[in-house]
Amino acid sequence: MSFRTSIPETSRAAVAKQALTTEIQSFRIPEIGPDDGLLQVEASAVCGTDWEIYGRKSRGGGLGPLILGHENVGRIVALGERAAERWGVQVGDRVAVEEFLPCGTCRLCRDGNYRICEATDSRSAKPFLRYGSTPISIEPALFGGFSEYLYLHPRAILYPISQDLPAELATLFVPISNGIRWVVQEGGLQLGQTAVIMGPGQHGLGCVVAAREAGAGKIIVIGTAADRDRLDLAAALGADHIVIADEVNPVDVVRDLTEGRGGDVIVDLVPGVTSTVDDAVEMVAKRGHIVLAASKHGAAVSGFAHDTVVRKEARLMGVRGHDHRSVEPALAIIASGRYPLERMCTHSFALSDVDTALRMAGERTDPAAIHVSVLPSASASAPAPAPAAA
Amino acid sequence: MSFRTSIPETSRAAVAKQALTTEIQSFRIPEIGPDDGLLQVEASAVCGTDWEIYGRKSRGGGLGPLILGHENVGRIVALGERAAERWGVQVGDRVAVEEFLPCGTCRLCRDGNYRICEATDSRSAKPFLRYGSTPISIEPALFGGFSEYLYLHPRAILYPISQDLPAELATLFVPISNGIRWVVQEGGLQLGQTAVIMGPGQHGLGCVVAAREAGAGKIIVIGTAADRDRLDLAAALGADHIVIADEVNPVDVVRDLTEGRGGDVIVDLVPGVTSTVDDAVEMVAKRGHIVLAASKHGAAVSGFAHDTVVRKEARLMGVRGHDHRSVEPALAIIASGRYPLERMCTHSFALSDVDTALRMAGERTDPAAIHVSVLPSASASAPAPAPAAA
Amino acid sequence: MSFRTSIPETSRAAVAKQALTTEIQSFRIPEIGPDDGLLQVEASAVCGTDWEIYGRKSRGGGLGPLILGHENVGRIVALGERAAERWGVQVGDRVAVEEFLPCGTCRLCRDGNYRICEATDSRSAKPFLRYGSTPISIEPALFGGFSEYLYLHPRAILYPISQDLPAELATLFVPISNGIRWVVQEGGLQLGQTAVIMGPGQHGLGCVVAAREAGAGKIIVIGTAADRDRLDLAAALGADHIVIADEVNPVDVVRDLTEGRGGDVIVDLVPGVTSTVDDAVEMVAKRGHIVLAASKHGAAVSGFAHDTVVRKEARLMGVRGHDHRSVEPALAIIASGRYPLERMCTHSFALSDVDTALRMAGERTDPAAIHVSVLPSASASAPAPAPAAA
Amino acid sequence: MSFRTSIPETSRAAVAKQALTTEIQSFRIPEIGPDDGLLQVEASAVCGTDWEIYGRKSRGGGLGPLILGHENVGRIVALGERAAERWGVQVGDRVAVEEFLPCGTCRLCRDGNYRICEATDSRSAKPFLRYGSTPISIEPALFGGFSEYLYLHPRAILYPISQDLPAELATLFVPISNGIRWVVQEGGLQLGQTAVIMGPGQHGLGCVVAAREAGAGKIIVIGTAADRDRLDLAAALGADHIVIADEVNPVDVVRDLTEGRGGDVIVDLVPGVTSTVDDAVEMVAKRGHIVLAASKHGAAVSGFAHDTVVRKEARLMGVRGHDHRSVEPALAIIASGRYPLERMCTHSFALSDVDTALRMAGERTDPAAIHVSVLPSASASAPAPAPAAA
């Protein structure tokens, strides 16, 4: 048995087939059984990973044509009976959806590390499922948020959100939960310690919020002159010091601000640039932690100062994604209104403008852009709603 | 007030002045006050760090002339009253002495990380004290074990050992305590997990013992064909698998032995070679740990595979030295006789042969050499005692 | 699709209906679908919890009639296609089966704490499933090991074992994995520390093995004069000191053996007696851990010395059961043959003698009894096989 | 060599000789050598421990006559040369002083647990030193803050504070650092979790600040009707829910506020009452933590629900005091002005009114009293300064 509101027979979605372009295609909406459900997508935000997949030359050699979009928020419009019980939700509820569709039974899942379960890892040699990177050849195709409807697979992980939380604001659960996990839960920031955030994009800003929430003694954010808008927002969110890396040597600044000790937790979020790792090693305190959270697009770090890492007894830790332990507090922080997070939601686009949205987030065609959303259920003829904030 | 047995007025010591040579010099034995003491050195083992300091071109530009030797064991021959109470020892007791002389009051000391206290760090910009790397210009000069007598500074850290434990065997407290700290206490090896030890020198063998004690499920040791003797001993100490890196690809072997998962804790102990770090990143399991414990002599790692570290959520951790939490169990393990550790003690030399000892350990002039000791109180004319083992 | 060997239509099982008695009943073996399987039970060992449930007055007011037995080992005789893939096993494989049937999707499961998931907790107000405590009114009834066949529910957790490991020996995975989790993974025993095990039953002996594997510096086991056989075995498994609580004050002994410091990890396994908690508080070291693992049958501890806990900064931790992190190494330890574990397997009985088995384990009708197994597939007329060991 | 400003030859101090009374006595100010110093006490706040010692019947059978006061803040007026370097301070600096005078070399000190070092434990069988509980028979007697001057022993631990931080406000470093350590560093409160604080005295309020700083999802404070003023302040400091235990069952309230799950970290701060421990066991979540921080005046907990602790896998942890890891962030929080902490500083008294101060804090003669300070350098004839806040 399953419940559903009135829903159409097909869903329009933006399919990434060739590099750097999508095309709108219609997919048949599947029958919903006792264990699954269907989400009407309200907002699906653009992330760096989308841009990376979007730009790949050959779709055939990679994942195959697929629907991007993995920071998803929407309303449940169909729901199986067992799914309702398992997820604790009903038709009509609004939810945030993790990108992970873990198996739930492997060693990593049982360890509490479901986010890196092979069954949800797009780099796995075995079959996998993951929102935003599952090819449309996998039934029922609707595994990406740049689509009117998203299939809620039995393995999906949902979080109820209130009826009045703006959808774009809610999609911030991804950067903020990542920030919480990277800075605090993995990075191990202790109350009173100094956090250094390299790269003030949406994830860097999420890290600022996380560090502030966890009682950081000092938050230092490093960006470039081009990041001015983002750095202003970082300050508004609670950063104590802003460093423009084009103008000063950030290593020196961090040393000065920490009486020569260095930062306790350094988070490197700068995509494609490897010298930030070298800087992190220089600016970290004895026994400090360096969180590696960016993609360097496969580039090796050429000058990794091994002996400095040893001398300082520093730790470097690769991190990926979030989990329920970080998503739940992230959603509570968003709902609390304690931070001017609406200022992060700079742009949103209709489904027909997905390519513009992707380029804006990926190429930073507008320096003011921070968190860019696609609102797939908004009418294509109507302009996209204004940002959530007043 | 202080107690002392009959002791001479001077101590002969081997002083490192020029690169790759030492000369015997006599130093006045200081008055012992209420807070300090004097050790008659029974054995002082040679470590890679000794070789590194010994080989430095210009002593003047570096630390200045000094007495090497920081893996020290001996008998207390003079002792201040307050020192006796603080250390819980008496004149006549035999002790092992840590190389660290920490301040005891800085933030690192109060954190339980005295081994990296600035006041005992020879790379510190401030004055420091450390056995085996303190210049003879610092009174009373006797800060190295390649000397008949060692000054027991008020900040020294001592561990009583029994009257019948062979001195050379006792100096193994350094590699074994390092192994315990690196593999278990920092490396975080869990009962049943797979440890991979790269480099079967005295520290690698110490890591094997530590992994075995901590209930490793599988211990894999990687060496080269030239390490045959050491690898045989690794197996005798409890290694489950020996890998000759000249003959097979160790990354493949580790994968095969772990059903494709990779090793849980990888320890890189190979001095001067950076490619082992790349191998470690390849062979580590998801969420696994890579312990960086070697000196790469300042060389940067050129191919550090950043994105692999992120994808696996791997951790790299620099480590240095030991502390009481690892020295105490190390001494208990040595005393237990559970391991054929006497096979590690391959060579010992009189004080007059310090240069031979250093070369044997540093250049591996004899491939059979593993743990090489100097016995400063042995008569120069008499041959050095045979190894401790039967 | 599913695979199966030739299997009968019904399974005989011992059903606990009235207090302190069982009766043999036949149950229809269910159809096996793609997600589940069927186990031919080779051995199902008796645990204290079985005795507790077995003795309850009113079955109707409690869990209802049920098949006991939750330390289960056997051979897979039928298996669904998806189950085969998920569990990584085939028909014919031998497996150990955890008692837990967790939901896999609640917060506790996602945290890595599936063993206390509400859906597998027999004290939960909601419907639950758990081997050995699920009423026969729940289809297909075969949820206990005192039965020829056990239903392998889709949520079951299986561990392959080799073809030649004696089944009774294999059922020791429960006490040994519990020991690993309680002493090491929760108890936090560090290499070189002192473990004190109160109560030398099968779980106490499992704790001895765990402490030995984890490199305990000293293992002290406390029992009574009636435990003489068990204490002898504790010594054979690696206990360093045996204390007879009828003859000496164990608190004094522990203090003496630890130079006044007290034990680092104290495990209280004594069922129904609360004074052991008071003793544990007295004998624990500053900053030491007290692991509460027994059932006190609902009795409150009357003399809990709160201020001593504060003064020592001691920790008390309730623990229940094991998980994959402890079961996997437990099975490896059993298979290694490093410990004379066959000496634990003192008695085994045919299905028709379940009541004798339960009484022997629960009332200790034979002081030599330690680990008592039921072998449901052994012929009732033939005598039960001798213990596994030579 | 040492430096000093002009200081008198004697210090007036309130000496606790008989139960519940003090008398003013003059002590000779000692010569300051190279390793020690002298503090002019600006403020010394009253703590529950002071009240406990103050009330003891026989001073002779206990600690002997002594100067109470261990929450000390003042100005350095004399300082040895080595002390200046070790502490990093100068004559004229203002500092907060921990009560602990640890040995710095025992196992506990080297572990980072100096606060429970035997040498600073007033319940130790060996000689000890501790501010506020060292008898005046120990030279130079000035070991308590209810005195114009406090001897800065070589083992003292100091924290510089700014010239403009009001002294009474600064003494809050004790309750706030305790809160940080108890709730976060030992209690393990995670970002987003629920903290329950039982007892809204100065330490309970410190716990509220700590929980808020660490990103608690929900802070519930439990008190009685008599605590109304304190509970109002708890709300002002960031508590989300206030529970009056006389009016409702706090266990039910905590369950309701946590959707039946229970609190993650429960801190019991209620002195002399043991039923709060039972409540804590009832209201804690599965896997939750109960922090035992109060003195129950030696009373045993009579109804400790052992089996509930096991079933929930709950943890109880005794805690005492703070350390540099909590004092440093506490002082930063006080200096930040982020919390209306001046509202805690309700009363202050001149040295001549120490008995009034003690009674106000200990007997709660004024329900409005929270944090009561003695200002020993204030003129006795002049009224004590008003609270620090505007």
Side-chain angles (χ1 to χ4, degrees), chain B residues 86 102 104-105 107 109-114 155-157 324-325 328, chain D residues 86 102 104-105 107 109-114 155-157 324-325 328:
Chain B
R86 189 174 66 248
T105 59
R107 200 185 264 116
C109 282
R110 291 213 200 280
D111 281 346
N113 293 315
Y114 64 81
R155 281 161 29 191
I157 302 174
H324 63 295
R325 283 166 287 214
E328 291 185 352
Chain D
R86 189 175 66 248
T105 59
R107 198 184 267 115
C109 282
R110 292 213 199 282
D111 281 346
N113 292 315
Y114 64 82
R155 284 162 27 193
I157 302 174
H324 64 296
R325 284 167 286 214
E328 291 184 353

Side-chain angles (χ1 to χ4, degrees), chain D residues 122-334:
Chain D
S122 60
R123 270 163 291 201
S124 174
K126 297 187 212 155
F128 74 91
L129 292 176
R130 184 187 186 101
Y131 287 120
S133 45
T134 298
I136 54 172
S137 56
I138 306 294
E139 290 286 339
L142 298 170
F143 284 101
F146 299 165
S147 166
E148 289 168 335
Y149 293 91
L150 184 80
Y151 175 61
L152 295 176
H153 187 276
R155 284 162 27 193
I157 302 174
L158 312 185
Y159 300 87
I161 60 174
S162 72
Q163 293 295 345
D164 55 359
L165 188 67
E168 292 155 287
L169 206 57
T171 61
L172 290 174
F173 83 90
V174 175
I176 293 176
S177 66
N178 282 344
I180 291 172
R181 188 166 171 273
W182 301 348
V183 174
V184 185
Q185 292 168 344
E186 289 288 309
L189 184 80
Q190 302 291 305
L191 205 155
Q193 286 191 329
T194 297
V196 181
I197 318 292
M198 307 171 90
Q202 64 169 326
H203 280 98
L205 297 172
C207 289
V208 171
V209 170
R212 178 51 59 227
E213 279 289 300
K218 209 167 274 176
I219 302 173
I220 304 169
V221 178
I222 304 175
T224 64
D227 294 319
R228 186 63 77 176
D229 285 359
R230 297 168 174 210
L231 292 169
D232 283 350
L233 183 48
L237 293 172
D240 300 292
H241 303 278
I242 299 298
V243 182
I244 310 287
D246 323 70
E247 297 170 4
V248 290
N249 181 342
V251 173
D252 294 341
V253 175
V254 170
R255 276 203 193 123
D256 288 352
L257 288 171
T258 56
E259 291 148 37
R261 287 207 301 144
D264 297 299
V265 177
I266 318 286
V267 188
D268 177 9
L269 297 152
V270 183
V273 177
T274 61
S275 62
T276 47
V277 178
D278 307 331
D279 286 352
V281 170
E282 287 307 307
M283 63 174 64
V284 75
K286 277 189 173 184
R287 303 280 303 165
H289 296 177
I290 297 170
V291 178
L292 306 177
S295 166
K296 302 300 185 187
H297 306 331
V301 177
S302 60
F304 181 69
H306 176 283
D307 290 3
T308 306
V309 172
V310 174
R311 185 172 59 76
K312 291 184 172 181
E313 289 202 338
R315 292 194 169 201
L316 294 97
M317 42 194 67
V319 294
R320 290 173 69 191
H322 43 263
D323 62 22
H324 64 296
R325 284 167 286 214
S326 50
V327 173
E328 291 184 353
L331 284 166
I333 290 166
I334 294 169

